[in-house]
Amino acid sequence: MMEPLLKRPQKEDGALQKKFVLNGLRLIHGPEMRDEVIGKLGQGEPAEAIAKTAALLLARLEASAAEQGKPLDDQTKLMGGYELLGELVEIGARAGVFPKMSAEAREELQATALSHVVAQVLERDIQSGKIDPQELLQASQEAQKKITLNLSEGERKVQAASKGAANPRR
């Protein structure tokens, strides 16, 4: 039986996330990887370069956690990883490997890089057999239905509110 696509977060999530981020920052700024990180950030389109660098960091953090018998849950990787992506954006900007950009553009770059990382991790986990592609497709379809339902419900509320505003005597 395959493990669930997303593991339930553990109670000590906040502490795990902090430790994950601190360990990631040590890797990013440490003497062993600092030059490699900046070099990778300068290779190619910024969002993809950030994603590839983040995937490398994630692999090292996952391996370290597994060696200690404490595998990382998906929530920790996602939330902590997003913080680390922000740090990579800042490093690339300060090092001059990315063009000058506004804070809004940096946030957009961070979000775009996140989507690239998620795609890379999903591909890796599908290839390794950790995730069944059919289960992923089914989960994606179920999520899309929920989003559609929520949007439809919101649309109905907006329509009802606008009808009520147009006809206040109802």
Side-chain angles (χ1 to χ4, degrees):
M1 182 175 173
M2 292 275 166
E3 45 181 277
L5 291 177
L6 289 175
K7 296 178 190 171
R8 277 211 170 308
Q10 300 171 358
K11 287 184 181 178
E12 63 273 2
D13 251 4
L16 284 174
Q17 184 177 329
K18 284 180 185 177
K19 186 173 182 177
F20 176 85
V21 171
L22 286 174
N23 287 338
L25 291 172
R26 284 187 191 110
L27 281 175
I28 291 170
H29 295 287
E32 291 180 25
M33 285 193 69
R34 182 181 32 234
D35 293 337
E36 183 180 359
V37 165
I38 292 173
K40 286 195 174 298
L41 290 175
Q43 296 175 358
E45 188 269 322
E48 190 62 35
I50 293 166
K52 286 181 180 178
T53 306
L56 171 69
L57 293 169
L58 178 60
R60 291 196 183 182
L61 290 167
E62 286 176 320
S64 175
E67 284 174 12
Q68 296 174 24
K70 299 177 182 180
L72 299 168
D73 63 71
D74 294 317
Q75 177 95 9
T76 298
K77 291 188 282 190
L78 181 65
M79 301 304 290
Y82 193 71
E83 285 186 55
L84 294 175
L85 286 171
E87 183 68 14
L88 292 174
V89 169
E90 291 302 317
I91 289 170
R94 283 194 307 259
V97 296
F98 301 150
K100 291 188 186 248
M101 61 185 94
S102 66
E104 184 178 287
R106 287 182 187 190
E107 288 176 19
E108 187 175 320
L109 178 58
Q110 183 179 359
T112 302
L114 176 64
S115 68
H116 287 288
V117 173
V118 168
Q120 289 176 15
V121 170
L122 287 173
E123 181 65 30
R124 177 197 71 185
D125 289 352
I126 287 169
Q127 288 180 356
S128 73
K130 183 178 177 183
I131 293 177
D132 178 80
Q134 292 301 335
E135 287 182 23
L136 178 60
L137 180 61
Q138 184 179 1
S140 174
Q141 290 169 343
E142 288 174 16
Q144 185 62 43
K145 286 178 189 173
K146 288 179 183 177
I147 290 170
T148 302
L149 290 173
N150 287 341
L151 291 176
S152 296
E153 184 177 315
E155 187 176 317
R156 284 194 298 268
K157 287 179 182 177
V158 168
Q159 288 173 348
S162 64
K163 286 179 185 175
N167 188 3
R169 297 184 137 193
R170 276 185 113 196

